[in-house]
Amino acid sequence: MPEPARAGLTGRPRVYSIAAHRGFADALAAGLAARFAEPELGLARLTLLLPSRRAVRTVTEAFVRTTCGPRSGLLLPRMVVVGDLDLDETLGPLLDPLGAADVPPAADPVRRWLRLAHYLREVEGDRAGHGPAVLRRAFDLGRTMDRLLVEGIAPVEVFEKALGVIDEVAGHWRANTRTFLMVQQLWLAELAARGETDAADRRNRLFDHAAQGWREAPPQSPVVAAGVTSASPALARLLRVVSELPQGSVVLPDLDLSLDDAVWDELGTAGAPATPDATPFGKHDAVTHPQYHLKLLLHRMGVARGEVRAWHRSGMTAAPPERSHAISNLFLPPQASAAWANLPARARRLAGVRLMETAHPAMEAQAIAVLIRQALEVPERRVALVTPDRALAARVVAHLKRWDIAADDTAGQPLGQSPAGRLFLLLAQVMAEQAAPVPLIALLTHPLANGGGDRADWLDHARILDRALRGPRPGIGLEPLRALVQQRGIGGWWERVEAIVSPLFSLPADEPLDRLVALLAEAAEALAGQGAWARADGRALAAFVEELRAAAADAGTLIAPRDAHAVLRDAMERQAVRPPWGGHPRVAVYGLLEARMSRADLVICGGLVEGKWPGAPAAEPLLPPPVLRALGVPGGDFRIGLAAHDLAGALGAPEVVLSYAQRDEGAPVNPSRFVMRVRAMLGDQIDRHLETEAPRLAALLRSAPQAPAYRRPQPRPSPEQRRVAVSVTGLDRLRGDPFQFYAGSILRLGRLDPLDAEPSAAWKGDVAHLILQRWHDAGEPEGGLPAIAQTVFDEKSAHPLMRALWRPRLIAAFDTFDGLVRAGKAEGRAPVLWEAKGDMLRKGVRIHGRADRIDRLADGSLAIVDYKTGKPPSRKRVEEGFALQLGVLGLIAEAGGFADGHGDVTGFEYWSFGKSGETLGYVDYPVKVKGKRSGLDPEDFLPETARFLDDALDTWIMGDAPFTARLNPDLANYGDYDQLMRLDEWIATLGAADGAEDAA
């Protein structure tokens, strides 16, 4: 209870409530303007205590709308911010005066975060974790400390209450509690030595300092506290004093004065226990009710609900009075909500409130954008979207750009997702991942990156590097990239890049965090110039960097460079970048905190699903629930009540749309419990409250006229375009899927591998061929294959997983091949060519290819050998003419197309690295030999190959047949050009289309 009234105080609190339907900011401005309507300096004498800087902006706009005409001016009241801890806001100068010398300075919150991590490692040792993990725990620990301080709970009280219940909780809770108490004591000792206090504690002391000063010497000018809903005990004491000032008053938002006393009592004790020993918050308190935190505030102010009076003015966006009664009925606590069954229709009426259900978030955002666009057709009509779902807000803002409507999301975006913040994080990621291709290319093509020169020239060079890095990663660090860029002719440009990023490499295992941040800041400025610090996000990044550098240097924090990216990402996610003034004057997009006190003619409440609005209550990770209950700290469900109050305030607008989707990106979701209450209370009136037009229009925006069916591509290039060389592998592609040959050999479109790709079959084949080539070049030394393989793997910078899994299989197959080669030499067989290129002219067309190996047999004839890292093609596929590589190589050899490798060809062999029985590495044949019962006879293989080759040349290269896509749809292929041929658009109707063509 407050202290007895002193000289100068009235002893009678003046507390008002503005009902939800009146519109808080506009009603407040209208009432204050009338109350202090004195010539010239009437409003200017007023001091207005507001909860946040956003509230200052909202009330300022309300005063402008309420009091300013075409030729009028206005001197606004002095607006002082009480400070919202959830928005990281500090107190205004009136409440944090220079004369408060008896209040210790606040400890820097960033330094505290880093020092708490240090103490966690000191208390728990290795159990505390390392790098980002321990810093996340330190942040949670500091947040818990602040929560207790806001509630006015002294550390000694935490210790005493914890000892009383510690034996009743599980082992992990006991360990967490001990850690919390020990770290807190270490931190308090450091605070005492530095002569500082925590920011939350200093805030409480400043509230008490202001309250004491106003008790002893009430200000001569009026003071009004408006819109403050925080139930902090220290703030409640200050509000009590303000309410008793001779010219003071407190104005609360949306306190339900019409609620029955029985229902008010059903909300619970709310911080006013019946006995001194009782728990401040009863077990059955209705903490999820939107009025609960206001009841808690009134109890802590020592004000009865009967002493609160209704505000005497309405705002410009007031709704019908019956709206407040309907809202009151909507949020009745469990027992009282049974009265819904007997409520008359007029008491359940929510005129002007609509429910909008959509299939998924993308459709919800589209429909909300349509509603906003429709609202702007009405002159002077203001519309606001209120949602805690940042992804939904971003989608709506993007959709509105279709109509050139710039809508700023006033909740802002995390610093790490802004352009400047993303540049900074990419530098940290390049450092942490040692110049991995994905973050490196993302950094070099970032919109702010130009290296201090011409942006277009910079991007040209970056794209060349991008192409060079496609496929498996060349190696770790900058060294493997130097040879790569020299080959591409961009060495000069790369020297500039390396000069910028090289200081981020070769750092010790543990580096001072302030030095790492300084290195990253220097690299960001070198890469982007002053653009890194320009605009709102750049200024926020500059402030973040300076604050973190100073705090880290003072705290002595060391982290590993590989952890810097995760640590900075976590810290930057907690920093919001809010847009400056601007955007469409009649459109606002708010988060829940920013929406408080705001009002519009149409309010759209989006993302009303469980887990979003209200958010899922999170358990306190450090202190067990019994300790929190013993301390009198509201549970996690308390925030559900705040979310309900936010919705109740939004429901007071003249027109409201409650929007929700049936599913999110991953699975079906449940509508918010608030939506279910609305549906239950409306009952049989629900059909009149459904918004169906906006989703219908949104669906029309997404739909387009039915496009004609896309037919199977059948390009017919000109005769000149057809006359291209055919490779030995291209022949199989030409016969199996002519379109793929057309795309690759005529259009010359090659497959582009992703950055940092997993080793593909082609990459594995190149590695295996290179190892065998060097083995043959070295004269096939015994035991040399493993050493050669190791060298090639090092050159290719093979991923450790490839070394661990694929290399042993490769070596085992090499051992088999080594034995086969040596056994062949004993029988008079010897390799004469390997990795040899050859060609021939046939029908005037160049046929070319590379033979993996050509052996001279004992009888003088040749054997063509092809290495396969996978399974060789079947003999049936060879017989059908879709695996002719060995046959075409044989034709080239017989035509003298290989130097020193011509003669009759009688052997055709696949040497596979696969497994046959228990052996890795085996030989297979495309023809009927070694007892095989299927396939072509050996003597027929080359004639059949020549026949298939001539037919292909006559049909497509020399002829005019179309290069039909998927001519043989059942034939397996690589699918490199499936997107180009738009396969999915016609493959399902392939049979019907073919039938129609045949009929025609």
Side-chain angles (χ1 to χ4, degrees):
M1 295 294 291
E3 299 179 6
R6 300 185 180 182
L9 299 184
T10 65
R12 297 184 304 276
R14 280 187 294 273
V15 183
Y16 300 91
S17 172
I18 298 179
H21 74 277
R22 290 181 180 269
F24 186 87
D26 287 324
L28 176 70
L32 293 177
R35 181 175 174 182
F36 300 100
E38 300 177 10
E40 299 178 353
L41 301 178
L43 276 176
R45 296 189 301 108
L46 170 66
T47 298
L48 197 55
L49 303 185
L50 296 171
S52 65
R53 287 191 290 270
R54 175 70 218 178
V56 170
R57 177 173 170 178
T58 299
V59 172
T60 299
E61 293 170 347
F63 272 116
V64 172
R65 287 192 299 269
T66 302
T67 60
C68 287
R71 297 183 179 179
S72 61
L74 175 67
L75 288 177
L76 290 172
R78 180 186 185 185
M79 301 187 198
V80 180
V81 175
V82 173
D84 193 322
L85 288 180
D86 289 331
L87 293 172
D88 296 326
E89 292 184 346
T90 57
L91 304 185
L94 178 68
L95 300 176
D96 190 359
L98 296 176
D102 55 332
V103 179
D108 177 41
V110 180
R111 182 185 180 279
R112 182 187 72 163
W113 165 51
L114 299 174
R115 290 298 295 165
L116 290 177
H118 170 78
Y119 287 132
L120 272 173
R121 287 189 290 264
E122 183 177 318
V123 169
E124 293 188 340
D126 292 339
R127 292 190 301 113
H130 299 279
V134 69
L135 286 165
R136 290 187 194 111
R137 290 188 62 201
F139 181 79
D140 288 338
L141 194 149
R143 187 167 52 185
T144 300
M145 290 168 53
D146 284 342
R147 185 180 178 190
L148 297 177
L149 290 171
V150 166
E151 291 295 320
I153 300 170
V156 65
E157 189 177 355
V158 180
F159 183 78
E160 293 172 352
K161 296 293 185 181
L163 286 181
V165 298
I166 194 67
D167 294 331
E168 303 174 9
V169 299
H172 72 282
W173 281 123
R174 288 197 295 271
N176 284 352
T177 304
R178 281 194 296 269
T179 297
F180 177 83
L181 294 174
M182 294 174 69
V183 171
Q184 186 182 46
Q185 290 306 312
L186 291 169
W187 171 244
L188 291 175
E190 180 175 333
L191 282 180
R194 295 173 62 91
E196 296 176 344
T197 187
D198 281 312
D201 180 57
R202 186 171 190 275
R203 184 173 178 267
N204 291 343
R205 296 190 190 195
L206 288 171
F207 284 152
D208 289 336
H209 178 274
Q212 182 68 24
W214 285 346
R215 281 195 193 99
E216 296 173 352
Q220 298 300 312
S221 58
V223 179
V224 175
V228 178
T229 58
S230 171
S232 158
L235 182 54
R237 291 192 293 268
L238 175 63
L239 294 180
R240 174 62 191 236
V241 171
V242 171
S243 71
E244 292 182 349
L245 292 175
Q247 299 184 76
S249 57
V250 174
V251 186
L252 300 177
D254 310 335
L255 177 64
D256 190 355
L257 298 179
S258 65
L259 201 63
D260 289 342
D261 290 340
V263 177
W264 182 258
D265 293 339
E266 190 182 337
L267 297 184
T269 58
T275 64
D277 296 332
T279 302
F281 300 95
K283 185 177 180 181
H284 301 291
D285 279 12
V287 295
T288 61
H289 193 277
Q291 296 292 306
Y292 183 84
H293 70 291
L294 293 174
K295 182 174 184 178
L296 175 61
L297 176 59
L298 289 178
H299 279 175
R300 288 178 171 175
M301 289 175 61
V303 176
R305 187 173 65 123
E307 298 179 272
V308 182
R309 289 173 280 176
W311 190 249
H312 54 286
R313 287 296 182 107
S314 293
M316 299 173 65
T317 54
E322 59 267 18
R323 179 73 62 78
S324 286
H325 297 293
I327 295 172
S328 178
N329 290 326
L330 174 65
F331 291 104
L332 287 174
Q335 293 183 14
S337 61
W340 286 350
N342 300 320
L343 283 177
R346 57 181 175 79
R348 293 186 285 112
R349 187 175 300 124
L350 280 169
V353 177
R354 290 170 284 162
L355 291 166
M356 185 171 74
E357 180 181 272
T358 49
H360 48 79
M363 181 60 73
E364 181 182 12
Q366 187 83 267
I368 290 173
V370 168
L371 286 172
I372 294 173
R373 180 66 179 84
Q374 288 177 329
L376 294 180
E377 289 295 308
V378 181
E380 300 184 8
R381 185 173 176 82
R382 292 183 294 127
V383 57
L385 167 63
V386 180
T387 178
D389 188 342
R390 297 295 92 213
L392 176 65
R395 276 176 163 154
V396 173
V397 169
H399 283 310
L400 289 174
K401 291 179 181 178
R402 173 192 293 116
W403 299 295
D404 200 23
I405 298 173
D408 290 329
D409 183 359
T410 57
Q413 66 176 161
L415 176 58
Q417 296 178 19
S418 67
R422 184 67 184 143
L423 176 75
F424 197 74
L425 284 180
L426 281 170
L427 280 164
Q429 190 175 0
V430 167
M431 176 177 66
E433 299 182 14
Q434 293 291 291
V438 173
L440 179 63
I441 294 301
L443 173 68
L444 297 178
T445 57
H446 187 280
L448 297 178
N450 59 18
D454 179 63
R455 168 74 175 168
D457 180 69
W458 178 274
L459 282 181
D460 287 342
H461 288 85
R463 292 187 181 108
I464 294 173
L465 179 61
D466 182 359
R467 291 295 297 268
L469 289 176
R470 295 285 170 162
R473 180 176 179 174
I476 295 175
L478 299 176
E479 183 64 32
L481 300 177
R482 295 191 184 108
L484 194 66
V485 297
Q486 292 296 339
Q487 295 171 6
R488 300 306 193 279
I490 54 174
W493 171 81
W494 177 251
E495 288 178 1
R496 294 164 55 198
V497 174
E498 195 166 349
I500 294 172
V501 300
S502 58
L504 305 179
F505 297 86
S506 302
L507 296 171
D510 287 316
E511 182 77 2
L513 177 58
D514 59 304
R515 172 168 162 74
L516 285 178
V517 173
L519 288 173
L520 292 170
E522 292 170 3
E525 186 164 343
L527 192 63
Q530 292 304 309
W533 319 116
R535 299 174 302 278
D537 59 323
R539 292 188 290 274
L541 176 63
F544 170 82
V545 166
E546 290 306 313
E547 186 177 34
L548 183 58
R549 282 177 60 183
D554 196 6
T557 302
L558 299 175
I559 66 168
R562 67 175 181 274
D563 293 332
H565 173 254
V567 169
L568 292 171
R569 181 191 60 211
D570 290 345
M572 294 170 75
E573 284 294 311
R574 298 190 288 265
Q575 299 282 330
V577 179
R578 292 182 171 84
W581 290 81
H584 198 287
R586 293 193 285 133
V587 179
V589 181
Y590 298 123
L592 296 189
L593 294 176
E594 291 76 19
R596 292 172 184 172
M597 299 178 60
S598 301
R599 179 54 60 89
D601 300 287
L602 169 63
V603 173
I604 305 167
C605 299
L608 276 164
V609 297
E610 283 296 308
K612 292 285 187 182
W613 192 350
E620 177 58 55
L622 295 167
L623 292 179
V627 172
L628 295 175
R629 283 196 299 269
L631 291 169
V633 178
D637 288 347
F638 184 76
R639 290 195 172 273
I640 297 179
L642 296 177
H645 188 259
D646 292 332
L647 182 62
L651 281 169
E655 188 177 352
V656 183
V657 174
L658 306 180
S659 173
Y660 59 97
Q662 295 174 334
R663 61 178 297 119
D664 59 14
E665 284 80 0
V669 294
N670 294 321
S672 168
R673 64 191 70 187
F674 307 140
V675 169
M676 302 307 291
R677 277 181 165 265
V678 171
R679 298 183 71 94
M681 195 183 80
L682 288 175
D684 56 3
Q685 304 181 45
I686 185 68
D687 290 342
R688 283 180 277 170
H689 291 268
L690 297 180
E691 170 60 53
T692 58
E693 181 65 9
R696 186 186 71 82
L697 293 175
L700 291 176
L701 284 174
R702 292 172 59 89
S703 63
Q706 185 69 33
Y710 190 79
R711 303 177 68 85
R712 183 202 295 197
Q714 296 181 332
R716 291 179 180 269
S718 67
E720 293 77 15
Q721 293 170 323
R722 291 171 181 265
R723 295 299 294 268
V724 294
V726 179
S727 68
V728 295
T729 55
L731 176 62
D732 297 337
R733 182 169 290 189
L734 176 61
R735 287 185 44 77
D737 188 348
F739 185 90
Q740 291 204 45
F741 180 89
Y742 166 76
S745 298
I746 296 179
L747 297 183
R748 299 187 179 279
L749 299 176
R751 180 176 181 271
L752 194 62
D753 289 329
L755 288 168
D756 212 348
E758 292 292 330
S760 62
W763 184 90
K764 292 179 180 179
D766 290 343
V767 169
H769 283 72
L770 182 56
I771 293 170
L772 288 169
Q773 179 184 354
R774 292 188 180 178
W775 182 63
H776 287 302
D777 289 342
E780 300 158 8
E782 188 148 1
L785 271 172
I788 294 172
Q790 183 62 46
T791 301
V792 171
F793 270 77
D794 290 340
E795 291 175 359
K796 294 288 187 178
S797 301
H799 192 278
L801 194 63
M802 291 298 297
R803 297 173 185 267
L805 298 183
W806 190 57
R807 182 177 177 274
R809 296 174 58 88
L810 193 68
I811 296 299
F814 284 155
D815 289 340
T816 301
F817 293 169
D818 179 79
L820 291 173
V821 170
R822 297 186 187 284
K825 285 186 175 181
E827 298 174 356
R829 170 176 175 166
V832 292
L833 290 176
W834 46 88
E835 301 301 325
K837 294 181 179 180
D839 62 359
M840 68 175 182
L841 284 177
R842 194 171 186 94
K843 295 182 177 290
V845 178
R846 178 174 175 261
I847 311 298
H848 64 94
R850 187 184 64 180
D852 294 346
R853 200 177 86 222
I854 299 178
D855 291 356
R856 180 77 66 184
L857 301 179
D859 61 0
S861 63
L862 301 177
I864 309 295
V865 176
D866 186 36
Y867 300 128
K868 294 292 183 184
T869 55
K871 186 178 180 180
S874 66
R875 281 180 294 280
K876 181 179 180 182
R877 186 169 176 180
V878 173
E879 192 174 6
E880 292 173 345
F882 298 123
L884 303 174
Q885 179 180 357
L886 283 178
V888 178
L889 288 171
L891 292 176
I892 295 175
E894 290 195 341
F898 292 106
D900 301 326
H902 54 84
D904 294 335
V905 180
T906 59
F908 306 95
E909 299 173 355
Y910 295 117
W911 287 35
S912 173
F913 290 84
K915 191 173 185 179
S916 177
E918 298 299 323
T919 304
L920 282 167
Y922 65 93
V923 179
D924 196 11
Y925 306 92
V927 292
K928 195 190 308 181
V929 295
K930 303 286 185 178
K932 304 296 184 183
R933 298 181 180 180
S934 62
L936 295 170
D937 291 325
E939 59 272 14
D940 295 333
F941 184 43
L942 287 183
E944 280 295 289
T945 299
R947 183 175 68 83
F948 283 128
L949 174 59
D950 291 341
D951 177 69
L953 296 177
D954 291 339
T955 302
W956 288 288
I957 306 301
M958 311 296 294
D960 63 350
F963 289 81
T964 304
R966 288 292 174 91
L967 184 61
N968 299 279
D970 296 330
L971 191 67
N973 59 73
Y974 290 108
D976 292 341
Y977 303 98
D978 286 354
Q979 185 178 11
L980 180 65
M981 67 175 68
R982 295 166 66 172
L983 178 69
D984 291 341
E985 298 186 38
W986 52 266
I987 191 63
T989 59
L990 184 58
D994 287 346
E997 291 176 4
D998 293 343

